Amino acid sequence: MNIKIGIASDHRGFNVKERLKEYFDEIDITIIDYGTNSSESVDFPIYAKKLGEAIQNNEIDFGIAICGTGIGMSIALNKMKGVYCAKVSNESEAILSRSHNDANVIAMSEEIDYDLMKKIVNCFITTPFSNINKYIVRNNKIKDMENNG
């Protein structure tokens, strides 16, 4: 698979982020780490912004954000133009976030079981957008809100 994935976390997500980086190396997918680089307490919006800017600048194809709940990262990322982050907890949500919503980032809780997290990530990066008209229309309405308030 010839894609680039960006990954970012806060201190609570640091350990699982490091494990996911090893997993991506094993399956030969390019991963770019946008921090944090330790389990020392940090403010998650700093790392959400770095990941979001990588999406905006087309440096990566998809992003993965991990914090205590996934909620904070998701909120921060969704403030950025062109970044569409889904907070997901299972494989079905990961699939639907891509096929219906064309999300380019997922946010997850560091509390998700690691084996399940790998499955979620695989579903996310391998599921294409459906290109079904009703989803295109809905996604365009979101983009209109983003552009026009």
Side-chain angles (χ1 to χ4, degrees):
M1 188 176 289
N2 191 18
I3 61 171
K4 282 188 188 173
I5 298 174
I7 193 166
S9 73
D10 68 356
H11 53 283
R12 286 186 57 194
F14 172 73
N15 289 329
V16 74
K17 176 177 66 81
E18 294 302 303
R19 289 183 73 189
L20 281 175
K21 285 168 43 182
E22 291 173 9
Y23 169 68
F24 283 119
D25 282 344
E26 290 171 13
I27 61 172
D28 203 29
I29 290 180
T30 302
I31 189 90
I32 301 171
D33 186 348
Y34 293 94
T36 189
N37 298 314
S38 77
S39 56
E40 184 178 324
S41 184
V42 295
D43 295 330
F44 68 83
I46 294 167
Y47 301 97
K49 184 176 181 188
K50 289 179 181 188
L51 183 63
E53 288 173 343
I55 289 284
Q56 290 174 326
N57 296 329
N58 296 309
E59 296 168 17
I60 56 176
D61 300 299
F62 297 112
I64 300 167
I66 306 164
C67 65
T69 63
I71 297 167
M73 284 284 215
S74 176
I75 291 169
L77 284 155
N78 280 314
K79 297 292 183 185
M80 302 179 73
K81 186 178 178 88
V83 178
Y84 306 105
C85 180
K87 195 283 191 194
V88 300
S89 302
N90 58 54
E91 294 165 87
S92 177
E93 290 173 352
I95 291 166
L96 292 172
S97 75
R98 287 285 309 128
S99 67
H100 291 189
N101 305 109
D102 203 14
N104 51 18
V105 182
I106 53 171
M108 295 180 287
S109 167
E110 58 88 18
E111 295 179 0
I112 294 174
D113 174 80
Y114 177 67
D115 289 328
L116 175 57
M117 191 176 281
K118 290 191 304 187
K119 291 176 184 175
I120 289 169
V121 168
N122 280 324
C123 287
F124 182 73
I125 65 175
T126 60
T127 301
F129 178 59
S130 65
N131 272 318
I132 295 172
N133 191 57
K134 69 180 177 180
Y135 300 125
I136 293 169
V137 168
R138 292 170 186 168
N139 292 335
N140 283 339
K141 288 179 187 288
I142 293 170
K143 289 174 185 168
D144 286 344
M145 291 169 61
E146 178 180 52
N147 293 322
N148 303 314

